[in-house]
Amino acid sequence: MTPESRQPETDDGLDRTPREGSGRVWSLDALRIVSVLGVVAIHVFAGMVANPEVRGTPGWWGAVIADIGFVWVVPVFVMISGVFVLSPRQHVKGPAAFYRKRLPRLLMALVFWSLLYFLLIRTLFSQLQPTRADVARFILDGQPYTHLYFLWLIVGLYVVAPVLAAFLSGGSERRALVFAAVTLGATVITGMSSTVLTALGDESPLTLLALTQWLPYAGYFLAGWALRHVRLSGGRLALVIGGTIVAVIASIIQYGSRPHLPVLDAVLPLSYFGPIVAAASLGVFVCTNSALAGWRPGSRTQRVIRELSDCAFGVFLLHFAIMLLVRAVPPFDAAAGSFPLSVLEWGIVVATSFLVVFLMRRVPGLRRVV
């Protein structure tokens, strides 16, 4: 038995289950690692992007590129999860067995990280005294801290996964593609409608709470499964790579040009539910799987990739706390005004987060929450 085939299934929403009969899917491991690096970049460089004192400078544009250039990462994480969680073999024993296997660990992580950020980071470290409204939002909002909405998102997708998988298993690949296209298309149209109405003076924000965080991501979840076998080559691959690059560059330019393009911002919102971000996300997923379809890394490289990939979920959850701790130490308390400092901060947060998660995964109790 190879090390790849011994890799256990996980319940973290960044599923690492091997594809049937083929060991690990190395292209998805690589994509997962790059994506979590992008998540850290988004949060680190957001400080400089939001700093009005440096807006328009070369350093600010560098921060925009590092931030908005990774706008596709969360949808891609959801797509990777859909590849494995919607597989019929995950549901052969019925919904109850699926839930017993997957939800306990995910719910444990949800409780652990929500309490850690709300009590330790928000209350003790940031010295913000919680009010009744804060506690209510903590329970009902599904976003106890900036990035933890992702846990509620994944819980919701796991809850509906048996229903989606049952529908998909009764049809062809075409059914999966049509279902994903319709669901994601409806999400994009809804997102565009919301921003257009708001621009016209009729405030119509999309409000997501704990039990509905998953809804706008169902299309990406389905798309991961529907596109799992798509492999492009030659001219087609080059064309899609070009289109994906254009979508990412367009997102960067559009954000950097705010607020001078209000009509464009209304019609093509820069959000996970906007058409440009959706195109970029689908393109990154398909192009990576296609370009790395025949990639078989050597044994040493496999061990490194496997460990980094398995740490990705924990890094996603932990990095924000590490980032706040780093920013409490000079000179990083001034990183929002310096692109080189922001780059250095990103490197420190990445390295420290991976190291801490690597160590946590070797402690039996803590392993279950990372």
Side-chain angles (χ1 to χ4, degrees), residues 20-368:
E20 198 167 0
S22 64
R24 294 185 76 112
V25 186
W26 297 107
S27 61
L28 295 184
D29 279 318
L31 187 54
R32 185 181 293 110
I33 295 167
V34 173
S35 295
V36 81
L37 296 178
V39 168
V40 179
I42 287 173
H43 293 143
V44 167
F45 289 98
M48 189 170 184
V49 170
N51 185 355
E53 295 181 2
V54 297
R55 185 178 180 87
T57 64
W60 181 83
W61 274 104
V64 170
I65 292 170
D67 182 340
I68 307 303
F70 284 110
V71 71
W72 46 268
V73 293
V74 169
V76 165
F77 270 139
V78 175
M79 293 173 72
I80 293 172
S81 188
V83 171
F84 302 111
V85 177
L86 293 176
S87 172
R89 69 189 183 92
Q90 301 291 339
H91 304 275
V92 291
K93 295 182 180 179
F98 174 82
Y99 294 146
R100 283 195 301 269
K101 186 176 184 180
R102 295 192 167 265
L103 286 183
R105 182 180 176 186
L106 188 55
L107 292 174
M108 186 181 300
L110 176 75
V111 172
F112 175 85
W113 291 103
S114 296
L115 290 176
L116 184 142
Y117 275 96
F118 188 79
L119 297 178
L120 295 183
I121 303 300
R122 188 183 187 281
T123 304
L124 296 181
F125 181 78
S126 300
Q127 296 293 306
L128 297 174
Q129 295 302 315
T131 64
R132 291 181 182 179
D134 291 331
V135 175
R137 280 194 293 269
F138 171 78
I139 297 172
L140 303 175
D141 193 47
Q143 194 169 355
Y145 213 79
T146 303
H147 60 309
L148 295 186
Y149 73 93
F150 185 79
L151 288 171
W152 280 105
L153 180 168
I154 291 297
V155 168
L157 290 175
Y158 273 39
V159 169
V160 300
V163 178
L164 299 176
F167 177 75
L168 293 170
S169 65
S172 63
E173 295 290 318
R174 179 179 174 81
R175 172 185 288 191
L177 287 168
V178 171
F179 191 20
V182 170
T183 306
L184 184 56
T187 300
V188 168
I189 292 172
T190 301
M192 294 168 63
S193 300
S194 173
T195 53
V196 168
L197 287 171
T198 299
L200 293 174
D202 183 6
E203 292 289 337
S204 301
L206 295 179
T207 302
L208 299 176
L209 301 177
L211 300 183
T212 58
Q213 289 285 353
W214 65 275
L215 274 170
Y217 297 90
Y220 290 117
F221 194 54
L222 292 163
W225 174 254
L227 298 173
R228 70 197 186 283
H229 292 152
V230 174
R231 299 293 183 269
L232 304 177
S233 61
R236 289 184 178 181
L237 177 58
L239 183 63
V240 176
I241 289 175
T244 302
I245 293 173
V246 168
V248 172
I249 292 175
S251 299
I252 293 168
I253 294 174
Q254 182 178 341
Y255 185 91
S257 300
R258 286 179 174 177
H260 305 297
L261 301 172
V263 175
L264 187 63
D265 284 335
V267 177
L268 301 176
L270 276 181
S271 75
Y272 299 140
F273 323 132
I276 297 179
V277 175
S281 303
L282 297 174
V284 168
F285 184 83
V286 170
C287 291
T288 302
N289 281 332
S290 299
L292 299 181
W295 183 44
R296 295 295 180 270
S299 58
R300 287 187 179 181
T301 305
Q302 285 185 16
R303 287 194 295 271
V304 173
I305 292 174
R306 181 167 55 245
E307 190 62 54
L308 292 176
S309 178
D310 290 352
C311 287
F313 178 62
V315 171
F316 185 102
L317 298 171
L318 175 66
H319 78 276
F320 215 103
I322 301 295
M323 182 183 73
L324 293 176
L325 293 174
V326 170
R327 287 181 176 176
V329 180
F332 297 105
D333 54 346
S338 168
F339 182 69
L341 268 181
S342 294
V343 173
L344 182 57
E345 178 190 352
W346 173 79
I348 292 173
V349 173
V350 167
T352 306
S353 298
F354 269 105
L355 176 60
V356 173
V357 172
F358 175 82
L359 296 175
M360 290 177 69
R361 283 174 48 79
R362 274 127 190 93
V363 179
L366 294 178
R367 180 182 177 88
R368 295 187 63 81

